[in-house]
Amino acid sequence: MPNKQQIDELKAILIERKENILSNINNSRANIDQLKEQEINDELDYAELVSDSFTEGMIANHQVEELKQIEDSLKKIDAGTYGICDMCGVVIPLGRLKAKPFAKFCTECRTVFENETMKRAKN
Ligand SMILES: [Zn+2]
């Protein structure tokens, strides 16, 4: 298990990341609103407008997902269950938590989970 100081450090990273995402999402929304207000003059502009909005939307969705994971991690820190794999219950190595502080699976379970998700996406 990471010790108190290590958890505090990871918590600070999580909170900072959370604030970044929140301001990014707000910026994306403002950008999309701005794009919508612009006049569309020809087909090319429209294509650009759609692809920009689409990309912004994708980024926002991805960030909302990450935000959810960060919230989960912060809850786990409060509950004292942070750093434990959701699937098999082993302690997630500190190196992995430092690289991805909101990781909920150990490396092995993450691989299994990703393979399963890919299989489901294909079916
Ligand atoms: Zn695991």
Side-chain angles (χ1 to χ4, degrees):
M1 283 288 282
N3 65 34
K4 171 99 175 58
Q5 197 203 334
Q6 287 162 335
I7 288 184
D8 281 348
E9 278 170 25
L10 291 166
K11 191 176 177 178
I13 295 170
L14 284 167
I15 289 171
E16 200 191 320
R17 182 78 191 132
K18 179 178 154 181
E19 278 161 9
N20 272 340
I21 292 177
L22 285 176
S23 77
N24 277 347
I25 291 174
N26 283 335
N27 284 342
S28 302
R29 286 205 179 124
N31 283 342
I32 291 169
D33 286 347
Q34 241 175 21
L35 282 170
K36 280 185 194 148
E37 281 165 19
Q38 282 172 7
E39 253 185 88
I40 300 162
N41 294 321
D42 55 42
E43 248 173 78
L44 189 74
D45 278 351
Y46 183 68
E48 269 175 38
L49 178 70
V50 169
S51 82
D52 279 355
S53 306
F54 184 72
T55 313
E56 296 271 358
M58 291 288 284
I59 293 167
N61 276 343
H62 178 76
Q63 296 201 328
V64 167
E65 189 53 40
E66 191 176 326
L67 195 62
K68 242 169 53 192
Q69 292 179 312
I70 291 173
E71 294 285 2
D72 280 354
S73 299
L74 289 170
K75 270 183 217 154
K76 282 183 184 174
I77 289 175
D78 288 339
T81 56
Y82 178 70
I84 298 169
C85 174
D86 261 12
M87 219 180 298
C88 69
V90 306
V91 174
I92 301 172
L94 188 65
R96 173 155 165 75
L97 289 175
K98 278 190 173 160
K100 202 182 170 195
F102 51 83
K104 33 177 195 176
F105 302 129
C106 67
T107 317
E108 284 98 88
C109 290
R110 178 77 224 171
T111 311
V112 173
F113 180 78
E114 273 168 6
N115 286 344
E116 288 295 316
T117 310
M118 272 203 294
K119 259 188 252 163
R120 243 177 276 150
K122 272 181 203 159
N123 289 338

